[in-house]
């Protein structure tokens, strides 16, 4: 049986209260679709990014061998948010990165056409006669408001997609409108933000904020091959901000207009691409599990053929059951087999050859070498969202247990937890703070680079534990009067609340083992 979904309101309140996530431009009333990270959130996200970097680039796949029996090879890249506008023509984003939208002439609201539903009489739209029918967008306040109005008008109602109602929609009342007939016909809306670099504000100079980090990698495929020793099969990772003018940003940070991606483009010979696709798909599931997303809240879903992006030969999504998607799931990462689409497109548009010359293939020569083979590699792309990742980690970690003195706590995996350890003097006297300071210095020197180390002697110990529980700090070490006699400290485990005593000289060893760093 599935547990009841956690309260998103409670999770968002904790995120604000403890400084994980703030609404961007909060003091001006916020700006829709943009979120900032507070001190704990910024560190959580950094830990997530670094775990990705470590396990995807520096020691890819924890040293697992790929389908070719060799260690996986990857290198990083860091590319600009703004690139030549032709990049996005070649990638298909200018022509294809569009959603059909309907606008409301009364409210100026804009809605994704495929998200708009209407309440009609239970007998169908035709049964409405001359009366209005009521449009809404699921999960939005308009849903309940419009349903009430429709029930008042028709009694029993049914819900159908707006697309099933013939145009013009003269009797349709828009989701936030008062009068009927204000919705326009669907129009294509490009999701890329544009800007004009330089002083001359001329349309011809228009450039775009990148909607994905992936394209930066394809542009430098040749530069990386020519400047480093990587040979096919190998991957190039790129992390950073991407921008999409999402029409209905919603569900906290899940669908934002500015977000961070961590993408790997893994290049291989076409004959090996299926094996590599399966390899990455399976590793990415294992990876998300390793940092704390486990159990029935995480699934791998293979896309149906009609869901595939314009370039994709096969795609699976790692999906997480967020409280706002439950009992369904929301995408955390897509693992796409992109074939040779991107390199081919850039080769055609830029007229620069992006083939790879593989000296390990081709006919066997009398001297024992190979003739070589030229080809455009295939690409497997595990594309993760770091904001969705951080949100999933927080949602998974959020636990409410009313039997505890601190009912709300975050069971964050120690590797991503922003506070790694807390050192507490039980009382602010009798030499305890001095011992705590000395221990904190040692712990800080060893673990400070991975996250916060708290050292606090104020407030009751219960309150201090509660603060650490809410922030997801896995271990608290307390110095008490016994410490002064026998050089031991109490270790309190966040998840169980249980305490044990260990030697003060064993604290760093304990943390090394438990933090898994
Ligand atoms: N290069 C392929 C690509 O960008 P995508 O599925 O569109 O694929 C990859 O994006 C990941 O980026 C998603 O799985 C998601 O985690 C994240 N992402 C995409 N759009 C987002 C948005 N509007 N807000 C937050 N994260 C987003």
């Amino acid at each position: 049986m599935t547990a009841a979904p956690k309260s998103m309101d409670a999770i968002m309140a904790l995120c604000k209260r403890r400084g994980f996530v703030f609404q961007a431009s909060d003091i001006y009333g916020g700006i829709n679709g943009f979120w900032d990270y507070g001190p704990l959130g910024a560190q959580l996200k950094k830990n997530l990014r670094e775990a990705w970097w470590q396990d995807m680039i520096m020691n890819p796949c924890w040293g697992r061998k790929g389908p070719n029996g060799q260690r996986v090879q990857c290198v990083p890249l860091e590319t600009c948010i703004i690139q030549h506008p032709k990049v996005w023509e070649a990638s298909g984003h200018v022509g294809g990165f569009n959603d059909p939208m309907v606008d409301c002439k009364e409210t100026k609201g804009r809605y994704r056409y495929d998200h708009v539903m209407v309440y009609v009489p239970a007998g169908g739209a035709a049964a409405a006669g001359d009366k209005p029918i009521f449009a809404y967008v699921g999960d939005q306040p308009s849903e309940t408001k419009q349903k009430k109005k429709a029930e008042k008008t028709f009694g029993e109602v049914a819900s159908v997609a707006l697309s099933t109602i013939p145009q013009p929609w003269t009797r349709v009342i828009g989701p936030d409108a008062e009068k009927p007939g204000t919705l326009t016909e669907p129009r294509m809306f490009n999701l890329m933000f544009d800007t004009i670099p330089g002083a001359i504000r001329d349309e011809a100079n228009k450039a775009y904020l990148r909607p994905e980090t992936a394209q930066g990698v394809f542009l430098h495929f040749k530069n990386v091959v020519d400047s480093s020793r990587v040979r096919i099969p190998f991957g190039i990772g790129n992390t950073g901000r991407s921008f999409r003018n999402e029409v209905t940003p919603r569900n906290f940070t899940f669908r934002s207009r500015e977000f961070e991606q961590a993408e790997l483009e893994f290049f291989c010979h076409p004959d090996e691409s299926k094996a590599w696709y399966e390899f990455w798909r399976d590793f990415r599931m294992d990876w998300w599990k390793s940092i704390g997303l486990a159990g029935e809240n995480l699934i791998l879903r293979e896309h149906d053929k009609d869901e595939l992006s314009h370039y994709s030969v096969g795609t699976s999504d790692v999906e997480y059951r967020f409280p706002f998607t439950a009992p369904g799931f929301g995408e955390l990462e897509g693992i796409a087999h992109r074939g040779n689409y991107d390199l081919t497109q850039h080769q055609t548009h830029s007229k620069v050859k992006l083939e790879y010359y593989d000296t390990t293939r081709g006919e066997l020569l009398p001297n024992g070498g190979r003739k070589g083979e030229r080809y455009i590699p295939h690409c497997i792309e595990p594309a993760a969202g770091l904001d969705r990742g951080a949100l999933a980690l927080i949602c998974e970690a959020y636990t409410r247990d009313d039997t505890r003195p601190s009912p709300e706590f975050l069971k964050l995996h120690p590797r991503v937890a922003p506070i790694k350890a807390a050192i507490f003097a039980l009382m602010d006297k009798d030499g305890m703070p001095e011992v705590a300071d000395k221990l904190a210095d040692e712990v800080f020197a060893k673990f400070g680079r991975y996250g916060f180390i708290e050292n606090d002697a104020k407030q009751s110990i219960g309150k201090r534990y509660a603060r650490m529980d809410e922030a997801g700090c896995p271990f608290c070490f307390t110095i008490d009067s016994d410490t002064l006699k026998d050089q031991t400290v109490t270790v309190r485990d966040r998840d169980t609340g249980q305490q044990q005593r260990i030697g003060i000289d064993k604290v760093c060893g304990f943390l090394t083992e438990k933090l898994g760093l």
Side-chain angles (χ1 to χ4, degrees):
M1 207 182 74
T2 321
K6 299 174 185 178
S7 154
M8 210 48 219
D9 286 344
I11 292 172
M12 287 168 72
L14 185 143
C15 282
K16 178 156 190 194
R17 189 169 71 243
R18 295 312 312 270
F20 279 94
V21 182
F22 302 132
Q23 170 90 62
S25 308
D26 205 2
I27 60 171
Y28 289 97
I31 168 163
N32 197 10
F34 296 88
W35 297 93
D36 292 333
Y37 289 85
L40 293 183
Q43 184 61 37
L44 169 72
K45 224 175 118 190
K46 179 168 187 285
N47 292 343
L48 177 62
R49 185 185 308 111
E50 287 191 352
W52 186 92
W53 190 277
Q54 180 62 28
D55 299 345
M56 296 292 281
I57 311 282
M58 291 323 197
N59 179 22
C61 314
W62 310 317
R64 257 183 213 179
K65 301 278 188 293
N68 58 347
Q70 310 279 315
R71 248 185 110 83
V72 181
Q73 286 185 87
C74 293
V75 289
L77 193 67
E78 189 180 312
T79 65
C80 284
I81 286 167
I82 294 181
Q83 301 284 349
H84 195 291
K86 284 200 176 141
V87 169
W88 311 110
E89 284 169 30
S91 69
H93 286 89
V94 169
F97 200 51
N98 293 308
D99 277 335
M101 311 296 308
V102 289
D103 287 311
C104 176
K105 288 183 256 177
E106 180 186 321
T107 65
K108 308 285 176 257
R110 175 168 278 176
Y111 310 96
R112 258 185 61 176
Y113 182 38
D114 59 339
H115 286 178
V116 186
M117 307 289 293
V118 280
Y119 283 118
V120 297
D130 291 339
K131 293 192 185 134
I133 52 180
F134 300 85
Y136 71 95
V137 178
D139 291 352
Q140 300 281 299
S142 60
E143 181 170 358
T144 3
K145 191 191 74 187
Q146 297 289 70
K147 188 165 188 207
K148 274 193 195 143
K149 286 195 198 166
E151 283 171 345
K152 218 166 146 198
T153 314
F154 306 119
E156 208 183 326
V157 295
S159 159
V160 296
L162 176 64
S163 56
T164 62
I165 308 290
Q167 290 182 54
W169 297 314
T170 45
R171 284 183 299 109
V172 176
I173 300 189
D176 304 293
E178 297 297 328
K179 291 183 285 201
T182 60
L183 290 183
T184 63
E185 79 283 5
R187 278 193 284 246
M188 286 304 195
F189 174 79
N190 194 286
L191 294 186
M192 280 192 294
F193 282 101
D194 54 45
T195 182
I196 299 183
I200 301 168
R201 296 204 61 78
D202 183 339
E203 272 292 294
N205 293 335
K206 192 160 87 176
Y208 300 97
L209 306 193
R210 68 179 171 199
E212 60 172 18
T213 52
Q215 294 304 320
V217 170
F218 300 120
L219 303 179
H220 289 302
F221 170 73
K222 191 169 156 29
N223 281 338
V224 172
V225 170
D226 291 348
S227 64
S228 68
R229 296 178 62 84
V230 285
R231 292 294 169 257
I232 291 258
F234 72 92
I236 306 179
N238 199 11
T239 67
R241 300 288 176 133
S242 293
F243 300 80
R244 294 182 193 176
N245 197 1
E246 298 283 0
V247 186
T248 37
R250 56 177 150 166
N251 292 330
F252 203 19
T253 57
F254 182 83
R255 191 175 302 289
S256 312
R257 289 182 169 141
E258 174 173 349
F259 53 96
E260 190 173 348
Q261 292 185 306
E263 301 196 279
L264 183 83
E265 310 305 314
F266 192 85
F267 300 99
C268 58
H269 188 274
D271 293 349
E272 292 179 350
S273 61
K274 187 167 176 289
W276 278 107
Y277 166 65
E278 287 163 3
F279 172 83
W280 280 109
R281 184 193 63 190
D282 297 345
F283 175 68
R284 294 307 297 155
M285 263 305 265
D286 292 348
W287 187 79
W288 284 109
K289 285 185 194 159
S290 81
I291 53 169
L293 300 184
E296 54 181 20
N297 288 337
L298 198 70
I299 55 162
L300 188 72
R301 189 179 66 83
E302 192 87 31
H303 281 207
D304 295 332
K305 280 274 168 282
D306 58 357
E307 269 185 275
L308 296 178
S309 318
H310 54 284
Y311 50 72
S312 186
V313 180
T315 296
S316 331
D317 286 343
V318 176
E319 295 188 338
Y320 178 73
R321 185 187 279 128
F322 292 92
F324 47 81
T325 57
F329 294 80
E331 179 189 331
L332 201 56
E333 166 161 354
I335 298 105
H337 182 315
R338 293 177 81 123
N340 62 9
Y341 175 81
D342 304 271
L343 288 179
T344 308
Q345 284 293 103
H346 287 302
Q347 174 167 288
T348 311
H349 282 71
S350 67
K351 315 237 174 338
V352 173
K353 279 238 169 301
L354 296 176
E355 287 172 343
Y356 177 79
Y357 181 60
D358 193 334
T359 53
T360 66
R361 290 178 181 268
E363 214 179 285
L364 194 58
L365 300 175
N367 67 5
R370 295 261 170 195
K371 187 161 175 243
E373 183 186 331
R374 249 173 234 291
Y375 57 90
I376 299 194
H378 276 200
C379 177
I380 310 301
E381 175 194 71
L386 295 183
D387 305 273
R388 284 194 192 169
L391 183 60
L393 292 174
I394 292 173
C395 291
E396 178 79 13
Y398 179 86
T399 313
R400 195 173 169 103
D401 177 352
D402 289 304
T403 63
R404 287 167 63 120
S406 54
E408 281 179 303
F409 63 110
L410 290 186
K411 280 188 184 178
L412 287 170
H413 189 284
R415 192 170 179 207
V416 291
I419 306 180
K420 297 297 182 204
I423 318 291
F424 291 148
L426 182 64
M427 284 182 287
D428 201 4
K429 58 181 186 180
D430 299 338
M432 291 180 211
E434 289 73 11
V435 179
D437 287 351
K438 187 163 171 285
L439 178 60
D441 283 348
E442 266 173 52
V443 173
F444 188 81
K446 210 148 183 217
F447 301 99
R449 80 190 90 138
Y450 302 113
F452 295 105
I453 308 298
E454 293 277 314
N455 176 14
D456 182 3
K458 303 276 171 332
Q459 290 192 315
S460 76
I461 192 72
K463 280 204 177 127
R464 281 181 274 166
Y465 286 154
R467 273 185 67 72
M468 288 302 102
D469 285 353
E470 268 195 347
C473 168
F475 304 106
C476 297
F477 299 90
T478 304
I479 283 85
D480 55 20
S481 53
D482 285 346
T483 313
L484 307 175
K485 290 183 226 136
D486 64 7
Q487 300 297 303
T488 62
V489 296
T490 331
V491 191
R492 176 178 174 280
D493 181 283
R494 171 198 66 201
D495 300 343
T496 60
Q498 280 178 351
Q499 307 197 0
Q500 54 166 312
R501 286 197 86 83
I502 62 168
I504 199 164
D505 57 340
K506 299 279 185 298
V507 168
C508 285
F510 176 93
L511 281 173
T512 303
E513 187 197 322
K514 300 283 182 182
L515 295 180
L517 296 168

